[in-house]
Amino acid sequence: MSYPTRVLLVGALLLSACGSEGGGDANAGARAPVLPGFGQACEEGECAAGLACADGDWAPRPWCTKACTNPGDYCDTADLGATAGLCVTVPSDFKGELKTFCAPICNNTDTCKSNWSQWQKCTKPAWKNTDLYPALPTKVCQSPDSHGQVVIDPVICDWESKVTDPKYTNAKQVCKAYCNFLKTCQLWQTSKEKLDCCRWRCFQEMTPSGVVNDEIEDKKKCYIKAFNSAQGTPKVCTIHEEQCAPIGDPHAP
Protein backbone atom coordinates (compact mmCIF):
# COMPACT_ATOMS: atom_id res chain seq x y z
CA MET A 1 0.00 0.00 0.00
CA SER A 2 1.43 3.42 -0.95
CA TYR A 3 2.04 6.15 1.65
CA PRO A 4 -0.75 8.51 0.50
CA THR A 5 -3.31 5.68 0.71
CA ARG A 6 -2.27 4.85 4.28
CA VAL A 7 -2.67 8.51 5.30
CA LEU A 8 -6.21 8.65 3.93
CA LEU A 9 -7.22 5.49 5.77
CA VAL A 10 -5.77 6.71 9.07
CA GLY A 11 -7.54 10.01 8.68
CA ALA A 12 -10.86 8.27 8.10
CA LEU A 13 -10.36 6.10 11.18
CA LEU A 14 -9.55 9.13 13.33
CA LEU A 15 -12.69 10.98 12.16
CA SER A 16 -14.77 7.90 12.92
CA ALA A 17 -13.29 7.63 16.38
CA CYS A 18 -13.92 11.31 17.12
CA GLY A 19 -17.54 10.96 16.04
CA SER A 20 -18.15 8.01 18.35
CA GLU A 21 -16.19 9.29 21.33
CA GLY A 22 -18.34 9.54 24.44
CA GLY A 23 -21.18 7.58 22.84
CA GLY A 24 -22.16 10.37 20.42
CA ASP A 25 -25.88 10.71 19.45
CA ALA A 26 -26.48 9.70 15.84
CA ASN A 27 -29.53 12.05 15.75
CA ALA A 28 -27.67 15.05 17.14
CA GLY A 29 -27.99 16.81 13.82
CA ALA A 30 -31.76 16.12 13.38
CA ARG A 31 -33.98 19.16 13.06
CA ALA A 32 -36.34 20.12 15.90
CA PRO A 33 -40.04 19.66 15.10
CA VAL A 34 -41.76 22.70 13.57
CA LEU A 35 -44.49 23.97 15.92
CA PRO A 36 -47.77 25.26 14.46
CA GLY A 37 -47.93 28.94 13.66
CA PHE A 38 -50.54 31.68 13.92
CA GLY A 39 -54.00 30.53 12.85
CA GLN A 40 -53.13 26.82 12.84
CA ALA A 41 -54.37 23.98 15.05
CA CYS A 42 -52.22 23.18 18.09
CA GLU A 43 -52.37 19.40 18.30
CA GLU A 44 -50.32 18.96 21.48
CA GLY A 45 -51.13 22.30 23.04
CA GLU A 46 -47.88 23.83 21.78
CA CYS A 47 -47.42 26.70 19.35
CA ALA A 48 -44.55 28.62 17.82
CA ALA A 49 -42.66 31.00 20.09
CA GLY A 50 -44.80 33.82 21.49
CA LEU A 51 -48.14 32.22 20.63
CA ALA A 52 -50.71 30.58 22.90
CA CYS A 53 -52.89 27.55 22.25
CA ALA A 54 -56.45 28.89 22.63
CA ASP A 55 -59.42 26.61 23.22
CA GLY A 56 -62.77 28.35 22.79
CA ASP A 57 -65.82 29.00 20.65
CA TRP A 58 -64.00 30.83 17.84
CA ALA A 59 -62.84 27.60 16.20
CA PRO A 60 -63.78 23.90 16.36
CA ARG A 61 -60.45 22.94 17.95
CA PRO A 62 -57.64 24.69 19.86
CA TRP A 63 -55.57 26.98 17.63
CA CYS A 64 -52.52 29.21 17.89
CA THR A 65 -53.06 32.90 18.53
CA LYS A 66 -51.87 35.68 20.81
CA ALA A 67 -53.59 37.84 23.43
CA CYS A 68 -53.92 41.52 22.53
CA THR A 69 -55.10 44.75 24.15
CA ASN A 70 -56.28 46.90 21.23
CA PRO A 71 -59.69 45.54 20.02
CA GLY A 72 -60.60 46.63 16.51
CA ASP A 73 -56.99 47.46 15.66
CA TYR A 74 -54.21 45.48 14.01
CA CYS A 75 -51.93 43.14 15.90
CA ASP A 76 -48.15 43.47 15.66
CA THR A 77 -47.09 41.25 12.76
CA ALA A 78 -43.72 40.65 14.45
CA ASP A 79 -45.57 38.74 17.17
CA LEU A 80 -47.43 36.58 14.63
CA GLY A 81 -44.64 35.24 12.48
CA ALA A 82 -44.85 38.17 10.04
CA THR A 83 -48.53 37.49 9.29
CA ALA A 84 -51.42 39.91 9.72
CA GLY A 85 -53.95 39.74 12.54
CA LEU A 86 -56.83 41.80 13.92
CA CYS A 87 -57.40 42.19 17.65
CA VAL A 88 -60.90 40.90 18.43
CA THR A 89 -62.87 40.97 21.69
CA VAL A 90 -65.76 38.52 22.02
CA PRO A 91 -68.86 39.03 24.25
CA SER A 92 -69.19 37.65 27.77
CA ASP A 93 -71.15 34.57 26.66
CA PHE A 94 -68.12 33.35 24.68
CA LYS A 95 -66.83 30.06 26.08
CA GLY A 96 -63.06 30.13 26.39
CA GLU A 97 -60.41 31.65 28.64
CA LEU A 98 -58.94 34.01 26.03
CA LYS A 99 -61.60 36.60 25.11
CA THR A 100 -59.37 39.22 23.44
CA PHE A 101 -57.11 37.72 20.80
CA CYS A 102 -55.59 38.16 17.35
CA ALA A 103 -57.66 36.66 14.51
CA PRO A 104 -55.99 35.93 11.13
CA ILE A 105 -56.70 38.61 8.54
CA CYS A 106 -57.70 37.26 5.13
CA ASN A 107 -58.82 38.19 1.62
CA ASN A 108 -60.93 35.14 0.88
CA THR A 109 -61.93 31.78 2.34
CA ASP A 110 -59.27 29.92 0.34
CA THR A 111 -56.48 31.81 2.12
CA CYS A 112 -57.96 30.72 5.47
CA LYS A 113 -58.32 27.09 4.47
CA SER A 114 -54.80 26.96 3.07
CA ASN A 115 -53.57 27.82 6.57
CA TRP A 116 -56.01 25.52 8.40
CA SER A 117 -58.74 23.47 6.73
CA GLN A 118 -61.23 23.95 9.56
CA TRP A 119 -61.67 27.67 9.05
CA GLN A 120 -65.10 28.05 7.45
CA LYS A 121 -65.23 31.65 6.29
CA CYS A 122 -63.30 34.81 5.57
CA THR A 123 -65.63 37.58 6.66
CA LYS A 124 -65.95 40.57 8.96
CA PRO A 125 -65.59 39.46 12.60
CA ALA A 126 -69.02 38.58 13.98
CA TRP A 127 -70.66 36.87 16.92
CA LYS A 128 -74.12 35.27 16.76
CA ASN A 129 -74.88 36.97 13.43
CA THR A 130 -73.86 40.37 14.84
CA ASP A 131 -70.96 42.30 13.33
CA LEU A 132 -68.43 43.11 16.07
CA TYR A 133 -66.92 46.10 14.25
CA PRO A 134 -69.50 47.39 11.70
CA ALA A 135 -67.38 50.30 10.47
CA LEU A 136 -64.30 48.15 9.89
CA PRO A 137 -63.93 46.52 6.43
CA THR A 138 -61.24 44.07 7.58
CA LYS A 139 -62.05 40.36 7.20
CA VAL A 140 -60.75 37.55 9.39
CA CYS A 141 -60.78 33.75 9.41
CA GLN A 142 -63.53 32.28 11.56
CA SER A 143 -65.77 29.22 11.96
CA PRO A 144 -69.33 30.45 12.66
CA ASP A 145 -70.61 26.96 13.47
CA SER A 146 -68.28 27.00 16.47
CA HIS A 147 -68.51 30.54 17.79
CA GLY A 148 -72.16 30.96 18.60
CA GLN A 149 -73.89 31.58 15.31
CA VAL A 150 -77.66 31.39 15.72
CA VAL A 151 -78.66 27.95 14.46
CA ILE A 152 -82.09 27.95 12.83
CA ASP A 153 -84.10 24.86 11.89
CA PRO A 154 -84.67 25.29 8.12
CA VAL A 155 -88.09 23.62 8.31
CA ILE A 156 -89.72 25.43 11.23
CA CYS A 157 -87.50 28.56 11.09
CA ASP A 158 -87.51 29.06 14.87
CA TRP A 159 -85.53 32.30 14.72
CA GLU A 160 -87.53 35.02 16.44
CA SER A 161 -86.92 33.94 20.03
CA LYS A 162 -83.21 33.51 19.27
CA VAL A 163 -82.69 37.03 17.91
CA THR A 164 -83.24 39.09 21.05
CA ASP A 165 -81.12 42.23 20.57
CA PRO A 166 -83.42 45.31 20.91
CA LYS A 167 -81.72 46.95 17.92
CA TYR A 168 -83.55 44.45 15.68
CA THR A 169 -87.05 45.21 17.00
CA ASN A 170 -88.04 47.43 14.08
CA ALA A 171 -86.54 45.07 11.49
CA LYS A 172 -88.55 42.18 12.94
CA GLN A 173 -91.77 44.22 12.75
CA VAL A 174 -91.06 45.20 9.14
CA CYS A 175 -90.55 41.56 8.18
CA LYS A 176 -93.80 40.52 9.87
CA ALA A 177 -95.74 43.15 7.92
CA TYR A 178 -93.94 42.34 4.67
CA CYS A 179 -94.67 38.62 4.95
CA ASN A 180 -98.30 39.32 5.87
CA PHE A 181 -98.57 41.21 2.59
CA LEU A 182 -97.02 38.28 0.68
CA LYS A 183 -99.34 35.76 2.31
CA THR A 184 -102.49 37.85 1.83
CA CYS A 185 -101.71 38.40 -1.83
CA GLN A 186 -100.79 34.71 -2.25
CA LEU A 187 -97.21 35.56 -3.17
CA TRP A 188 -95.94 33.34 -0.37
CA GLN A 189 -97.07 29.74 -0.50
CA THR A 190 -97.49 28.40 3.04
CA SER A 191 -97.81 24.94 1.51
CA LYS A 192 -94.14 25.22 0.54
CA GLU A 193 -92.73 26.90 3.64
CA LYS A 194 -93.95 28.15 7.00
CA LEU A 195 -94.59 31.87 7.28
CA ASP A 196 -91.84 32.07 9.92
CA CYS A 197 -89.41 31.08 7.16
CA CYS A 198 -90.57 34.07 5.15
CA ARG A 199 -89.84 36.34 8.11
CA TRP A 200 -86.46 34.73 8.74
CA ARG A 201 -85.45 35.09 5.09
CA CYS A 202 -86.58 38.72 5.13
CA PHE A 203 -84.61 39.38 8.33
CA GLN A 204 -81.45 37.80 6.93
CA GLU A 205 -81.72 39.89 3.78
CA MET A 206 -82.24 43.07 5.79
CA THR A 207 -79.36 42.48 8.22
CA PRO A 208 -76.27 41.38 6.29
CA SER A 209 -73.30 41.07 8.69
CA GLY A 210 -75.67 41.82 11.58
CA VAL A 211 -76.35 45.45 10.61
CA VAL A 212 -79.70 46.67 9.26
CA ASN A 213 -79.33 47.70 5.62
CA ASP A 214 -81.41 50.86 5.18
CA GLU A 215 -81.80 50.44 1.43
CA ILE A 216 -83.20 46.92 1.73
CA GLU A 217 -85.43 47.99 4.61
CA ASP A 218 -86.85 50.82 2.50
CA LYS A 219 -87.68 48.35 -0.29
CA LYS A 220 -89.64 46.17 2.16
CA LYS A 221 -91.45 49.21 3.51
CA CYS A 222 -92.45 50.23 -0.02
CA TYR A 223 -94.44 46.99 -0.46
CA ILE A 224 -96.04 47.42 2.95
CA LYS A 225 -97.00 51.03 2.29
CA ALA A 226 -98.44 50.25 -1.14
CA PHE A 227 -100.42 47.30 0.25
CA ASN A 228 -101.84 49.32 3.15
CA SER A 229 -102.74 52.29 0.94
CA ALA A 230 -104.90 50.17 -1.37
CA GLN A 231 -106.92 48.30 1.23
CA GLY A 232 -110.51 47.75 0.07
CA THR A 233 -109.63 48.33 -3.59
CA PRO A 234 -109.10 45.91 -6.48
CA LYS A 235 -105.46 47.02 -6.69
CA VAL A 236 -104.55 45.99 -3.15
CA CYS A 237 -102.31 43.17 -4.39
CA THR A 238 -101.05 44.79 -7.58
CA ILE A 239 -100.34 48.42 -6.73
CA HIS A 240 -96.86 47.51 -5.50
CA GLU A 241 -95.97 46.69 -9.11
CA GLU A 242 -96.45 50.37 -9.95
CA GLN A 243 -94.74 51.84 -6.90
CA CYS A 244 -91.98 49.41 -5.93
CA ALA A 245 -89.18 47.31 -7.37
CA PRO A 246 -90.06 43.79 -8.60
CA ILE A 247 -90.26 41.22 -5.82
CA GLY A 248 -88.96 38.22 -7.72
CA ASP A 249 -89.45 34.76 -6.31
CA PRO A 250 -89.84 35.15 -2.51
CA HIS A 251 -89.11 31.44 -2.03
CA ALA A 252 -85.76 31.67 -3.77
CA PRO A 253 -82.88 31.29 -1.28
Side-chain angles (χ1 to χ4, degrees), residues 90-143:
V90 286
S92 59
D93 59 340
F94 175 88
K95 295 179 182 177
E97 292 183 4
L98 192 60
K99 295 183 183 294
T100 303
F101 52 85
C102 297
I105 292 176
C106 55
N107 295 319
N108 52 60
T109 302
D110 287 343
T111 61
C112 294
K113 287 187 175 293
S114 65
N115 193 33
W116 184 29
S117 62
Q118 295 196 38
W119 290 124
Q120 292 178 318
K121 291 184 177 181
C122 172
T123 186
K124 295 176 65 174
W127 176 255
K128 293 185 177 179
N129 291 332
T130 299
D131 197 337
L132 295 176
Y133 306 104
L136 195 66
T138 306
K139 297 179 180 180
V140 298
C141 300
Q142 49 197 320
S143 297

Side-chain angles (χ1 to χ4, degrees), residues 54-86:
D55 189 4
D57 286 349
W58 194 257
R61 289 166 52 194
W63 62 289
C64 296
T65 183
K66 186 176 180 64
C68 51
T69 57
N70 53 334
D73 200 356
Y74 299 104
C75 298
D76 189 341
T77 57
D79 296 333
L80 307 175
T83 56
L86 180 73

Side-chain angles (χ1 to χ4, degrees), residues 12 18 40 48 127 143 148 183 235 251:
C18 291
Q40 298 177 342
W127 176 255
S143 297
K183 178 185 177 183
K235 301 184 69 174
H251 290 279

Side-chain angles (χ1 to χ4, degrees), residues 205-251:
E205 184 183 358
M206 282 179 54
T207 57
S209 301
V211 179
V212 177
N213 184 299
D214 293 335
E215 183 179 352
I216 297 175
E217 182 180 27
D218 288 343
K219 288 181 179 180
K220 304 298 183 187
K221 286 182 175 179
C222 181
Y223 304 125
I224 298 167
K225 183 178 180 180
F227 174 68
N228 290 338
S229 68
Q231 290 296 308
T233 73
K235 301 184 69 174
V236 65
C237 286
T238 58
I239 193 170
H240 67 275
E241 297 174 357
E242 303 172 12
Q243 300 181 3
C244 311
I247 293 177
D249 181 2
H251 290 279

